[in-house]
Amino acid sequence: MASRQQAGAADSARQRELLSPGDVARTIARIAHQIIEKTAPESSANRVILLGIPTRGAPLAHRLGARIADFSGVSVPTGVLDTTLYRDDLRQQPNRPLEPSSVPAQGVDDALVVLVDDVLFSGRTIRSALDALRDQGRPRAVQLAVLVDRGHRELPIRADYVGKNVPTSRTEDVAVRLNEIDGHDGVVLRRSEEEER
Amino acid sequence: MRHLLSAAELGAEEATSLLDTADTLKRTLLGREVRKLPTLRGRTVLTMFYESSTRTRVSFEIAGKWMSADVINVSSSGSSTSKGESLRDTALTLSAAGADCVIVRHPASGAAHRLSGWLDETGTQVVNAGDGMHEHPTQALLDAATLRERLGGLDGRRIAIVGDLLHSRVARSNVHLLRTLGAEVVLVAPPTLVPMGARQWGAEVTGDLDAELPGLDAVMMLRVQAERMDGAFFPSAREYSLSYGMNEARLARLPEHAVVLHPGPMLRGMEIASRVADSPSAAVAEQVRNGVHVRMAVLYHLLAGEEVTA
């Protein structure tokens, strides 16, 4: 028991809160407003689809969809786009389990697809998402919404909607926690475990 | 996973993870115009078939191609084997030529295992696509995938494997995998076609198919393998069919939800009646369809992740 308390204290010493649970909710609401403003989903000519990238992009997309429906009265279809099979770093890591994708029944053809992810870092996940999306059809346009942009891009990719820009060092880790998966909301910055070792 | 040599070596967790991957791949490709994933781009898969096969070879080839691997087929006739080259030398040659994975079918039990020993230090991975009368793990996986889909799960289900158990690698692989996944297995065959030691596999053994029918969730019919039979194992085909064939009368005695499987090729009128094979209870075409996804999952688990140093 004592050792667990110590571990807990050490945890808080090497991590800093970036977004509180309230901040997460407000940030999602702000992004929802921006998406409404920029895409005008209430016009029938603009079919908008939100696709979350697993793991935490999926519940994020769902929450964004709910907020957009609250604010604009238009229900925007949401789905999940797993990018594992399209990654370029499969050989550098142990085998990854696949997550099922679910794209709204109308498909992505001619729709405006907003990809949703928790953290934008190297941009490689988004590249694989663009490839995965191409196999689903031909969207009219693709945009990107992220809760946190932490920099260090390795590809010419940028987000259209950013919850919070956070300058980070490569040895740090941005951990997004969402109620649906982790039991609570929040974003923390911590030194990565590799550096600890 | 380093190699896939037998269903017996698969634990419940690994087997379930393979089946889940197969299921996700199936749903990923469902309704797609272009059934091609870039996942195994640049990987080379060789099939070495020393025995005739249609569905297994084609299924592996399609699985590899849908994952963008380069798949090359080698058969024993028309290769250096017909000039007298040993299995070991052929395998080392193919590995040296750049194979990342060798899928082998061989009439000798244990061939895939020997091959994996020879190829271990080269880093080439081995998949057993049927070795003699020993194992055929991907068949057991595709049967499990089909049953899971039809029955909603395998835990506590009662499944009969009926027919030529003696010569069947499918039966052995299925007993191991189904039991690992929590099913009860009962083996049904005339005493002459029950292999020595079958009672140690952990399944019940009986000769009375009719008594079992009402309590079954699935029946797996096996082909009578005349090409491996060097003696008289039953009096006549007609007599075999009367006692162990799945006909309409027997189908009617199965519970409504029960599934009839056959690994193919089917001998219609021998172990399975045509009416049964074409009935909605039969899942023969689904088995073949799931075979592709299961083999994609196997290739994904073997070839996609970081190289495992043995």
Side-chain angles (χ1 to χ4, degrees), chain A residues 22-106:
Chain A
D23 292 335
V24 170
R26 277 188 290 278
T27 306
I28 291 173
R30 180 164 50 78
I31 297 177
H33 277 299
Q34 290 172 338
I35 292 177
I36 295 168
E37 194 182 317
K38 207 163 160 183
T39 65
E42 66 280 1
S43 137
S44 58
N46 300 337
R47 200 158 65 87
V48 178
I49 296 175
L50 303 178
L51 289 181
I53 299 171
T55 312
R56 289 180 181 76
L60 265 182
H62 201 73
R63 284 202 214 175
L64 268 175
R67 290 288 84 77
I68 291 173
D70 290 349
F71 301 145
S72 71
V74 180
S75 87
V76 173
T78 62
V80 178
L81 186 69
D82 185 45
T83 66
T84 311
L85 294 164
Y86 297 84
R87 295 195 66 92
D88 60 6
D89 59 356
L90 287 169
R91 294 286 288 158
Q92 275 99 58
Q93 298 182 30
N95 225 296
R96 290 161 171 263
L98 305 182
E99 301 273 345
S101 291
S102 65
V103 172
Q106 314 92 304

Side-chain angles (χ1 to χ4, degrees), chain B residues 37-189:
Chain B
L37 297 162
T39 318
L40 297 181
R41 218 157 51 98
R43 316 308 309 280
T44 302
V45 174
L46 271 144
T47 68
M48 281 166 79
F49 275 61
Y50 288 85
E51 250 183 30
S52 50
S53 156
T54 313
R55 73 207 72 230
T56 306
R57 196 189 59 68
V58 167
S59 177
F60 267 114
E61 183 170 353
I62 292 177
K65 288 187 169 167
W66 283 2
M67 306 278 281
S68 298
D70 294 306
V71 185
I72 295 153
N73 297 311
V74 181
S75 63
S76 55
S77 61
S79 71
S80 296
T81 309
S82 54
K83 298 179 192 163
E85 189 174 56
S86 71
L87 177 65
R88 180 172 184 268
D89 285 334
T90 308
L92 288 173
T93 303
L94 297 179
S95 168
D100 293 302
C101 177
V102 171
I103 292 158
V104 64
R105 163 163 298 186
H106 201 278
S109 305
H113 189 265
R114 288 303 296 272
L115 204 61
S116 72
W118 294 324
L119 290 180
D120 242 347
E121 58 200 67
T122 67
T124 302
Q125 294 169 300
V126 178
V127 177
N128 182 5
D131 58 332
M133 296 181 256
H134 176 228
E135 278 242 30
H136 190 355
T138 57
Q139 177 71 41
L141 283 165
L142 75 88
D143 288 335
T146 309
L147 289 173
R148 229 171 57 141
E149 237 172 41
R150 281 270 189 128
L151 301 172
L154 283 164
D155 201 32
R157 299 300 187 151
R158 189 169 169 86
I159 294 151
I161 305 179
V162 185
D164 186 354
L165 303 169
L166 183 62
H167 302 102
S168 178
R169 51 197 175 213
V170 176
R172 189 186 297 254
S173 289
N174 261 303
V175 172
H176 290 308
L177 188 68
L178 290 171
R179 280 178 41 81
T180 301
L181 295 171
E184 267 175 52
V185 182
V186 49
L187 297 169
V188 186

Side-chain angles (χ1 to χ4, degrees), chain A residues 18 25 39-40 58-59 63 73-75 107 112 114 134 168 172 174 196:
Chain A
L18 295 176
T39 65
R63 284 202 214 175
V74 180
S75 87
L112 192 153
V114 181
R134 196 185 63 158
T168 59
E172 289 167 323
V174 176
E196 291 289 305

Side-chain angles (χ1 to χ4, degrees), chain B residues 1-5 9 14 100-101 116-117 119-127 298 301-303 307-310:
Chain B
M1 203 158 65
R2 185 73 181 81
H3 306 288
L4 178 62
L5 303 177
E9 67 188 18
E14 194 162 29
D100 293 302
C101 177
S116 72
L119 290 180
D120 242 347
E121 58 200 67
T122 67
T124 302
Q125 294 169 300
V126 178
V127 177
V298 168
H301 280 238
L302 283 176
L303 292 172
E307 215 156 319
V308 189
T309 37

Side-chain angles (χ1 to χ4, degrees), chain B residues 266-283:
Chain B
M266 287 190 284
L267 301 177
R268 286 172 186 255
M270 178 77 172
E271 68 266 355
I272 189 164
S274 232
R275 286 272 180 87
V276 176
D278 299 330
S279 76
S281 298

